[in-house]
Each structure stands twice: as structure tokens, then as C-alpha cells.
Amino acid sequence: MSRVNVSTLEGAVLDWAVAKCQNLPIKYDPMGFGSGSEAGFWVWDDDPKGYITKIGRGYSPSTNWQLGGPIADAQNISLISPSDGSTTCSAYVKGGECTQNGNTLLIAAMRAYVCSVLGEEIDLPEKAFH
């Protein structure tokens, strides 16, 4: 495991952390590819009609408003667009207790969500994210 600050999470790593917060069934390389684009983490529900999708592609709440928007809404995450020539977006949860920044509103929102659920630092499995 590797301990990282939530404020540095992006891409599939941030999406993995969001899936973890949502208690989704996460499996590493469930089809045994070993390497390549299909290896990595998946949301993988073993139920015959369960949800199965690649984290960072099919499951990407940090880039897809259809996935991240409902999370931000349900968690009452406040979004702040860049101002005064800045390109940094901000988001906060719990009255400002968990404030995070990002290059986009969704990245900031998902970081704030992860921070509110898991704390400012989380453990990442090393084998999956290098």
C-alpha cells in the first residue's frame, strides 16, 4: 500500500477512490489480462445482472457528470468556479470541513467527497497505479 494525499488524486486513481467511498464491488484484473488496457481495477458485481465496468473508463465520476453530478448533489458538495484569471476550481463538503481543489469542478468535487469519507490521506494498492 502507498499512502497519498487526496488532493493529488486524479484520473482512474480518483475514480477508484470514489468507488471505494460508494462501497462498490472493486476487483483488480478480474478477467486475468495481467497487463494492457483491460487490466486494472473494475467495478465488478458477481451477480448475474450486476454492474461491470472498468474504473477510469466506464466508471469515471471525475470526468462524467452523469456519474459525478449525482454524488455531488447527494453529498451537498458546493462547487466554486475559477475566478480572477485562476484556472483552479474548488469544492467543499460539511461546511468547508473538506475543501479540495482541481483543474475541473468534477475533480474538485470528487476529491472533496473522498476527503469527507476517507480523510485527507488514503492508502492505494501499489500494484495497480504505477
Side-chain angles (χ1 to χ4, degrees):
M1 292 291 216
S2 174
R3 193 136 183 93
V4 298
N5 193 303
V6 169
S7 66
T8 65
L9 299 179
E10 60 185 20
V13 180
L14 178 55
D15 296 331
W16 173 88
V18 172
K20 184 174 171 112
C21 290
Q22 293 191 297
N23 293 314
L24 294 176
I26 301 171
K27 291 191 178 181
Y28 181 73
D29 196 17
M31 293 175 280
F33 287 102
S35 64
S37 65
E38 299 306 306
F41 283 101
W42 288 69
V43 173
W44 192 273
D45 187 343
D46 286 325
D47 185 281
K49 294 184 181 188
Y51 186 51
I52 296 175
T53 190
K54 179 105 170 35
I55 293 177
R57 186 175 60 217
Y59 181 81
S60 184
S62 69
T63 61
N64 183 335
W65 277 101
Q66 290 181 330
L67 297 171
I71 294 169
D73 189 43
Q75 300 300 315
N76 293 314
I77 297 173
S78 296
L79 305 173
I80 304 167
S81 296
S83 61
D84 298 329
S86 172
T87 58
T88 302
C89 300
S90 298
Y92 61 90
V93 179
K94 296 183 181 180
E97 183 178 310
C98 291
T99 300
Q100 293 289 320
N101 297 317
N103 292 333
T104 69
L105 287 170
L106 270 179
I107 290 172
M110 293 305 101
R111 285 177 178 169
Y113 173 56
V114 171
C115 176
S116 73
V117 175
L118 301 176
E120 291 186 18
E121 292 186 337
I122 64 170
D123 291 320
L124 296 177
E126 288 185 37
K127 69 176 180 175
F129 301 111
H130 28 263

